[in-house]
Amino acid sequence: MADIRPFCMPKWGIEMTEGTVAEWMVKEGEAFSRGQVICLIETDKITNEVEAEYDAVLKRVLVPASDQPQPVGALLGVFTDPATTDAEVDAFVAAFKPAETGVAAKATSTDAAPAAAAAPEPAPATAPEPRKIVTNRPISPEALKLAEANGVDIEPIQGSGRGGRITYQDVVQAMRPEPVYTPKGPAELPAETRAVFASPLAARLAAQYGIDLSTLTGTGPRGRISKADVLGAVKPAAPEAGPAPAFGAPFVAVANTPVVQPFDKVRKVVARRLTEAKQTIPHFYLRVSARVDELVALRKTANMVMGTKASINDYLVKAVAMALVRHPDVNVQVAADAVHSFPHADVAIAVASPKGLVTPIVRQADRMHIAQIAATTRALIDKAQAGRLSFDDMDGGTFSISNLGMFGIEEFDAIINPPQGAILAVGGINRVATETADGDIAFEGQIRLSLSVDHRAIDGAAGAGFLQTLKALIEAPESLFS
């Protein structure tokens, strides 16, 4: 009997209900090998490279690349061995029923579906003798079981979970052999390229554009170099300069035809969420100004002492986190009929990415040092701009910060990011004339802060108390190091 396996829309995270096939990297009827990228699947704001876990042939593509979302568990394609006939595939597709869980691919985003029920189960390989592992490192129970069953040394594994926790996916990744790249087309991969930890697609692009992968910093899982990393290093060709219009040439009217660009999937999601937030959440706004001359001076000195490049926004994240802990009635998420308060501040930062506005989260920022916050935000911004944010990077959050000061915006009001209860809009630093204690006029740097609050859960006095504490922390920045 032919070995036929379904490839279904995977499920990443409990909230994912659908995904979009952005691009097939393997053509119908083409063979692929383990570790090769099969396709790219987009969720609301994340693009995942799906890698093969075994050698097979993409016998049938049932859902071509498009912008039409498919539900979790939908049959996207059929994998077979080379000898499988079209009639056998037709019969398999006609009889296929999605699993109740809707998960036909492992949650690691690099797996194809398990064998169909009609296909014979391969004989299990003899498992190595389980070895008890004793460690003080944070590791999930399932990851520990897998490591013990397969004799995996967990010490060199870099945990990708919260707080460096080793996840099941980390152990699976450590068990994989070195990938064998099989580039297609005229591009040839040099030997040094094969030694770099990069996706097959990234390796092929690097060879075609003449880019040395060893000079790139990977933004993928465990530092893997992705397609976006390579394309980011490609220098665009300079546009050809056209002839300058002659001075005094007569004006010629041309049709002012608009360029129609439909919303992509991400923009549709952003539009829907912002519309719902504005229509269903009763916003009210509180505004205040804070002196920042001492903060600017302290940042310059602290960066030199600590050897970091912390931005003003990093200091604001720290100040907001400390203020939230002191005002837990603002550090909340709002459900349909309940308010969820949290002991620590998970601060989301608004970042403009190629896929639209995203809000990755600095978790437990109140427990972090400024240097740690700076490193975390820099990593999140780099991942956002490369389109590599994961579900865990954006899931949750108790408060958001949107900073447009770097664009010269003096003041604005932001829309609350549900289920959070508030968001802080930060403007730029302006020189303002103020009266000194002895009656003279002096200039000082001030920053405008606007707090958007969900009135269902947070009262005006609570919001005002939070802003008062935040203003005091910004104007006395030494307290941010306490």
Side-chain angles (χ1 to χ4, degrees):
M1 185 178 293
D3 184 11
I4 304 178
R5 307 187 187 191
F7 174 54
C8 302
M9 178 62 68
K11 182 178 179 65
W12 298 300
I14 59 175
E15 295 182 356
M16 178 180 172
T17 59
E18 61 183 18
T20 302
V21 180
E23 183 179 359
W24 283 98
M25 310 308 298
V26 179
K27 297 179 181 179
E28 187 174 87
E30 187 176 21
F32 57 84
S33 57
R34 177 174 180 172
Q36 186 175 343
V37 177
I38 301 172
C39 67
L40 305 181
I41 291 182
E42 291 183 349
T43 60
D44 285 352
K45 296 184 180 180
I46 305 170
T47 300
N48 294 291
E49 292 182 343
V50 182
E51 297 180 357
E53 284 295 319
Y54 47 81
D55 299 345
V57 174
L58 177 56
K59 190 67 174 181
R60 184 75 54 83
V61 172
L62 298 174
V63 178
S66 69
D67 59 354
Q68 297 299 319
Q70 300 293 325
V72 168
L75 184 62
L76 306 180
V78 177
F79 299 157
T80 70
D81 55 42
T84 304
T85 65
D86 290 337
E88 290 173 321
V89 174
D90 292 338
F92 175 82
V93 172
F96 177 78
K97 293 182 180 180
E100 294 183 1
T101 58
V103 183
K106 291 183 180 179
T108 60
S109 84
T110 60
D111 190 27
E121 290 290 339
T126 303
E129 187 70 20
R131 179 176 61 89
K132 190 68 176 178
I133 297 177
V134 179
T135 180
N136 291 327
R137 297 188 60 190
I139 182 173
S140 71
E142 292 299 320
L144 183 60
K145 290 180 183 178
L146 181 63
E148 290 178 341
N150 293 275
V152 178
D153 182 10
I154 68 172
E155 292 307 318
I157 299 178
Q158 182 179 357
S160 62
R162 297 183 184 178
R165 190 184 196 205
I166 299 174
T167 65
Y168 186 91
Q169 179 180 358
D170 295 330
V171 178
V172 171
Q173 183 69 30
M175 293 168 55
R176 291 178 179 170
E178 289 295 326
V180 178
Y181 300 112
T182 55
K184 297 173 179 60
E188 293 293 335
L189 299 184
E192 58 271 17
T193 296
R194 298 189 182 95
V196 180
F197 187 37
S199 71
L201 177 59
R204 291 199 299 271
L205 290 174
Q208 292 170 3
Y209 286 106
I211 296 175
D212 184 1
L213 285 177
S214 63
T215 63
L216 302 182
T217 301
T219 59
R222 304 180 68 198
R224 189 184 197 202
I225 298 174
S226 65
K227 166 187 172 183
D229 298 325
V230 176
L231 293 181
V234 177
K235 296 181 179 179
E240 297 182 1
F247 179 76
F251 174 77
V252 179
V254 295
N256 189 19
T257 305
V259 177
V260 180
Q261 185 175 359
F263 279 173
D264 59 17
K265 181 177 178 62
V266 173
R267 182 56 59 185
K268 288 179 181 179
V269 173
V270 171
R272 173 177 56 81
R273 286 176 58 86
L274 292 181
T275 301
E276 292 176 354
K278 195 63 175 177
Q279 291 178 343
T280 61
I281 298 177
H283 288 60
F284 75 93
Y285 308 94
L286 300 172
R287 303 178 180 89
V288 71
S289 297
R291 299 189 304 273
V292 292
D293 287 338
E294 292 187 24
L295 177 59
V296 172
L298 177 65
R299 167 183 170 264
K300 182 177 181 180
T301 303
N303 282 353
M304 293 177 60
V305 173
M306 297 186 298
T308 62
K309 294 183 179 180
S311 65
I312 291 294
N313 200 65
D314 296 327
Y315 282 84
L316 291 177
V317 170
K318 177 65 174 179
V320 163
M322 293 178 65
L324 287 172
V325 172
R326 299 180 190 180
H327 297 270
D329 45 359
V330 180
N331 190 39
V332 298
Q333 290 182 354
V334 185
D337 55 357
V339 177
H340 301 256
S341 299
F342 297 85
H344 296 289
D346 292 341
V347 181
I349 53 175
V351 179
S353 75
K355 288 185 170 293
L357 185 67
V358 293
T359 53
I361 300 166
V362 182
R363 301 193 184 276
Q364 299 194 13
D366 56 295
R367 303 177 63 186
M368 286 187 175
H369 191 272
I370 292 293
Q372 294 174 309
I373 292 178
T376 301
T377 56
R378 183 68 263 169
L380 290 173
I381 291 172
D382 289 343
K383 290 177 69 175
Q385 294 175 345
R388 300 296 299 175
L389 287 172
S390 66
F391 177 80
D392 288 338
D393 291 328
M394 296 190 292
D395 180 34
T398 61
F399 191 91
S400 290
I401 296 178
S402 180
N403 190 345
L404 294 179
M406 66 288 293
F407 298 106
I409 302 300
E410 296 182 359
E411 181 181 4
F412 70 102
D413 296 323
I415 299 176
I416 295 171
N417 181 23
Q420 298 167 16
I423 182 172
L424 183 70
V426 181
I429 299 175
N430 296 305
R431 301 298 294 176
V432 179
T434 58
E435 183 179 3
T436 63
D438 54 6
D440 291 336
I441 299 297
F443 284 87
E444 65 182 15
Q446 290 188 0
I447 192 170
R448 296 283 295 173
L449 307 173
S450 176
L451 182 68
S452 303
V453 184
D454 186 343
H455 215 333
R456 296 175 301 174
I458 304 173
D459 295 328
F466 167 80
L467 275 184
Q468 187 178 33
T469 300
L470 178 61
K471 174 183 171 73
L473 290 169
I474 293 174
E475 294 182 344
E478 297 84 0
S479 57
L480 299 180
F481 291 89
S482 60

